[in-house]
Amino acid sequence: MYYVGIDIGSTASKTVVTGDREMKFVLPTGWSSKETASEIASRLLDQGIDVMSEGVRVAATGYGRVAVDYADFVITEITCHGRGGRELAGNECAIIDVGGQDTKVIMVDQGMIQDFLMNDKCSAGTGRFLEMMAKTMEMSLDELSKVGLSYQEDITISSMCTVFAESEVVSLIAQNKATDDIVHGLNKAVAAKTASLVKRVGGEEAYMMTGGVAQNQG
């Protein structure tokens, strides 16, 4: 028996297989969630796992979950995060999910989701914001996630709008500010944006973080 979990996010699509075998892989979502879902099915078939067979159960979540037409269960990411938080952190926790295009804070109390809050439609403070800043600084997201840990000057990026923040970064580069210091300023801006969302929902429990930005060491 195989159990397949598929999370089609706005930027990346994640697949995990448990049961008789365990495996996982990540694909870029691309422009079409339906094509991504088909590619995931093909990759699984190459590994001998037929999503249409009776011995496979598939659960889909994320931004493009409805595109997984072979899923046995279609579950919102809020519910999935709540279940994961309960399993990993216990019955009382706050889950901070910073993905490619949105930020969510989910409160779990007595093992149940009690409240959640999402950011507005602007991508400020999300993975897309950091991706754009990385391009401006001519580095990869992986590089951006590591620099800034040993900063010297505590720079503050005053705007979280991607366009205005990019102008600030260009100006700081022109002033010969150190790369570590600029990246620290960006990380601090994202943290402040996220913290304000947590405060609005009343997060006071054990915290856990998920989403692509959780890979950012800063």
Side-chain angles (χ1 to χ4, degrees):
M1 195 73 188
Y2 295 105
Y3 303 94
V4 182
I6 299 173
D7 173 16
I8 298 188
S10 59
T11 302
S13 296
K14 290 75 68 178
T15 302
V16 174
V17 179
T18 63
D20 292 346
R21 285 171 53 199
E22 294 190 359
M23 60 181 289
K24 58 184 178 180
F25 56 86
V26 180
L27 298 173
T29 297
W31 70 274
S32 170
S33 297
K34 193 167 185 64
E35 284 193 8
T36 302
S38 296
E39 186 174 350
I40 289 170
S42 295
R43 285 209 178 193
L44 290 171
L45 190 59
D46 289 343
Q47 297 297 319
I49 301 171
D50 183 355
V51 295
M52 303 304 293
S53 72
E54 293 184 0
V56 179
R57 292 290 179 270
V58 180
T61 189
Y63 170 82
R65 61 187 179 276
V66 295
V68 187
D69 54 9
Y70 50 83
D72 299 289
F73 308 96
V74 177
I75 311 168
T76 70
E77 56 263 52
I78 303 294
T79 300
C80 287
H81 275 93
R83 178 63 184 269
R86 187 180 73 186
E87 294 296 323
L88 293 171
N91 289 336
E92 318 288 335
C93 65
I95 303 153
I96 301 168
D97 173 34
V98 187
Q101 293 186 13
D102 63 27
T103 301
K104 295 182 285 290
V105 179
I106 305 157
M107 293 300 302
V108 175
D109 183 28
Q110 298 181 15
M112 302 292 291
I113 296 171
Q114 297 300 321
D115 199 4
F116 72 91
L117 190 64
M118 293 181 66
N119 68 332
D120 50 33
K121 293 181 180 179
C122 175
S123 64
T126 66
R128 185 57 53 88
F129 172 83
L130 290 173
E131 186 177 28
M132 294 302 296
M133 295 304 106
K135 287 181 179 178
T136 300
M137 300 187 70
E138 298 183 345
M139 63 175 65
S140 67
L141 264 177
D142 186 54
E143 291 172 314
L144 186 79
S145 75
K146 296 173 183 175
V147 301
L149 299 176
S150 57
Y151 70 95
Q152 299 297 318
E153 183 180 352
D154 189 11
I155 289 175
T156 297
I157 305 293
S158 60
S159 176
M160 282 302 292
C161 170
T162 303
V163 175
F164 293 140
E166 184 177 22
S167 297
E168 280 192 63
V169 169
V170 170
S171 177
L172 290 167
I173 293 171
Q175 296 172 41
N176 290 320
K177 296 292 185 181
T179 299
D180 280 22
D181 296 345
I182 297 173
V183 172
H184 166 70
L186 291 168
N187 286 337
K188 189 171 69 169
V190 171
K193 178 84 172 177
T194 305
S196 67
L197 201 64
V198 174
K199 188 175 181 180
R200 284 170 57 194
V201 82
E204 296 179 352
E205 308 298 337
Y207 295 99
M208 57 183 297
M209 187 174 179
T210 184
V213 178
Q215 301 293 324
N216 187 321
Q217 295 179 36

